[in-house]
Amino acid sequence: MVILKRVLNQADTLDHVFQALADPTRRGMVDRLSRGPASVSELAEPLDMTMSAVVQHLAVLEGSGLVTTEKVGRVRTCRVGPALQLAERWITERRESWERRLDRLGDYLAETAPASPKKRKP
Amino acid sequence: MVILKRVLNQADTLDHVFQALADPTRRGMVDRLSRGPASVSELAEPLDMTMSAVVQHLAVLEGSGLVTTEKVGRVRTCRVGPALQLAERWITERRESWERRLDRLGDYLAETAPASPKKRKP
């Protein structure tokens, strides 16, 4: 029951993480933060949108765990959150599984294909 | 101009890829296909939904490049498509950039922090 709950929670988290990454502005924010923490104003600075729109995108990112924010005094500092690794792990596991299958298929074909034409059985 | 167009196209592709991954049924289909090709009926078999809903999910996956399909005779076979690697690369690059930054910060702190308390200058 605990495991099922954890699996369901993770599915829900992945829904939000991938949804958050499906927007170019939000990917741009994650890209910026991957190079170091930034205040909300620093994040907003290169973007051609209202501060309210920036804060909304940030809320989606924070809700998904892709970004964490911390307010010290009057400045809210944003950082990359743990969900980026969660999303990476999900994709990497599927890509690896798929490539292992292709490798096995390659091995099988190499083993079963004759190096030189064999005589047919009579 | 060609490069800009390519960057914009890739952004558009990533929008669709992450959007496609934001749904648990579609992630389940990618997961199934990562273990080997499947027909549409095989994909639909464990799912508690109409064939029309399955086909719609599949269309989203195919549109994003996460899945490719090929029809031979009356059977449409589905496979993992190239967009899975595209999504992985985008996330991995950001995660690596972020970890390099954390490493540099760690190095900096290790270099500047005194191993033992030093005498203050008079």
Side-chain angles (χ1 to χ4, degrees):
Chain A
M1 191 59 199
V2 173
I3 291 176
L4 178 64
K5 209 171 166 186
R6 205 177 300 156
V7 169
L8 289 176
N9 283 348
Q10 190 174 353
D12 198 46
T13 304
L14 284 171
D15 285 7
H16 289 113
V17 172
F18 288 126
Q19 187 64 61
L21 287 174
D23 180 275
T25 302
R26 291 195 292 264
R27 282 200 304 280
M29 288 173 159
V30 172
D31 185 48
R32 164 64 191 83
L33 294 176
S34 74
R35 280 173 273 127
S39 68
V40 179
S41 328
E42 282 168 338
L43 272 186
E45 205 267 329
L47 301 173
D48 188 22
M49 54 177 68
T50 63
M51 184 54 94
S52 150
V54 170
V55 168
Q56 267 183 311
H57 279 306
L58 203 52
V60 174
L61 287 169
E62 199 174 4
S64 73
L66 280 168
V67 167
T68 62
T69 76
E70 186 193 15
K71 197 165 186 176
V72 177
R74 294 182 60 182
V75 177
R76 182 170 291 282
T77 302
C78 312
R79 289 181 173 80
V80 172
L84 193 66
Q85 252 177 310
L86 198 74
E88 187 186 26
R89 199 175 311 142
W90 191 89
I91 297 184
T92 301
E93 282 170 7
R94 271 76 206 170
R95 198 256 310 149
E96 284 177 352
S97 161
W98 167 46
E99 283 182 357
R100 270 198 304 275
R101 211 205 143 265
L102 290 181
D103 285 349
R104 280 200 306 273
L105 189 64
D107 289 349
Y108 172 77
L109 291 176
E111 277 169 25
T112 51
S116 55
K118 282 180 186 168
K119 280 182 196 166
R120 283 194 184 184
K121 282 182 185 171
Chain B
M1 193 59 199
V2 174
I3 291 175
L4 178 64
K5 209 169 167 189
R6 205 177 300 156
V7 169
L8 289 176
N9 283 348
Q10 191 174 352
D12 198 46
T13 304
L14 284 171
D15 284 8
H16 289 113
V17 173
F18 288 127
Q19 187 64 61
L21 287 174
D23 180 275
T25 302
R26 291 194 292 263
R27 282 201 305 281
M29 288 173 160
V30 172
D31 184 49
R32 164 63 190 82
L33 294 176
S34 75
R35 281 173 272 126
S39 69
V40 179
S41 328
E42 282 168 340
L43 273 185
E45 205 267 329
L47 301 173
D48 188 22
M49 53 177 69
T50 63
M51 184 55 94
S52 150
V54 171
V55 168
Q56 267 184 310
H57 278 306
L58 203 52
V60 174
L61 287 169
E62 199 173 4
S64 73
L66 281 168
V67 166
T68 61
T69 75
E70 186 193 13
K71 196 164 185 177
V72 176
R74 294 182 60 181
V75 176
R76 181 170 292 282
T77 303
C78 311
R79 290 182 172 79
V80 172
L84 193 66
Q85 251 176 313
L86 198 74
E88 187 186 27
R89 199 174 311 141
W90 191 90
I91 298 184
T92 301
E93 281 171 6
R94 271 75 207 171
R95 197 258 308 149
E96 283 177 353
S97 160
W98 166 47
E99 283 182 356
R100 271 198 303 276
R101 211 203 144 265
L102 290 181
D103 285 349
R104 281 202 303 274
L105 189 66
D107 290 349
Y108 173 78
L109 291 175
E111 276 168 25
T112 52
S116 56
K118 281 181 187 169
K119 280 182 194 165
R120 285 196 183 179
K121 283 183 184 171

